[in-house]
Amino acid sequence: MINTGDLLPDVTLYEYNNDEGACAIGPNAFSVHERCKQKKVVVFGLPGAFTPTCSERHVPGYVAEAQALFAEGVDEILCVSVNDAFVMNAWGNSLQVGEAVRMIGDGNGEFSDALGLSQDLSARGLGRRSLRYAMVVDNLVVKHIAVEAPGKFEVSDAASMLATLRHV
């Protein structure tokens, strides 16, 4: 599992934004290293789009605290899930995330696997998913990581990351 002080793995992730209309070309691939180098980024991962805790608490918390996080020097907030970029875009639209949180698809689970933060929820009909976590990354180096225990939502929320940023 990735730890504080580790370099963020360089994996290709995907983002889709249909602001230009339903026929916009995408999804758009990007290198994690290219996206995050020389930036302070909060990355939070969660089990899945449109799932209860993720939709009702996790993402909305980051949308609500986005301006406070940016005021602490965060350049970008990335929400990553093992869903495709089209689903992540639709989910972001349904939650009205706007520009506050970038909804990023890790459709094949490669980023979650590279972090050592994937889980198998096949017994529940969900397949391979990400664990719930959040991390502060500064110029590709993990400065803080918080991984939730199974079924919990206590340490990866936006308020916890904001408190961490004020002490990092």
Side-chain angles (χ1 to χ4, degrees):
M1 181 173 79
I2 196 159
N3 292 298
T4 300
D6 289 349
L7 190 66
L8 203 59
D10 192 17
V11 176
T12 299
L13 291 175
Y14 299 86
E15 184 174 28
Y16 177 72
N17 187 330
N18 65 343
D19 285 347
E20 297 178 16
C23 295
I25 297 174
N28 300 308
F30 64 88
S31 154
V32 170
H33 276 199
E34 289 301 313
R35 180 84 172 245
C36 298
K37 72 179 174 184
Q38 298 182 349
K39 290 183 180 176
K40 184 180 284 185
V41 181
V42 170
V43 180
F44 70 102
L46 35 77
F50 297 102
T51 56
T53 300
C54 303
S55 294
E56 295 166 14
R57 297 174 62 200
H58 211 167
V59 175
Y62 277 95
V63 173
E65 296 290 353
Q67 293 310 311
L69 289 162
F70 296 145
E72 292 297 325
V74 170
D75 295 298
E76 200 165 28
I77 303 167
L78 305 179
C79 172
V80 181
S81 184
V82 183
N83 293 106
D84 66 63
F86 298 111
V87 168
M88 293 300 286
N89 179 67
W91 186 35
N93 287 342
S94 76
L95 295 175
Q96 300 177 342
V97 301
E99 295 295 315
V101 175
R102 307 308 299 198
M103 304 301 282
I104 307 300
D106 181 22
N108 297 323
E110 293 169 357
F111 185 65
S112 298
D113 287 346
L115 293 172
L117 296 173
S118 56
Q119 61 181 324
D120 186 353
L121 296 177
S122 297
R124 296 175 63 194
L126 299 171
R128 284 179 46 247
R129 298 293 179 126
S130 172
L131 291 170
R132 186 179 306 282
Y133 68 88
M135 62 180 142
V136 176
V137 178
D138 194 353
N139 195 24
L140 304 176
V141 176
V142 177
K143 297 296 184 180
H144 174 80
I145 182 157
V147 180
E148 299 285 359
K152 298 292 184 184
F153 181 59
E154 300 169 342
V155 296
S156 66
D157 59 293
S160 294
M161 287 302 104
L162 188 54
T164 295
L165 281 164
R166 289 180 175 149
H167 296 99
V168 173

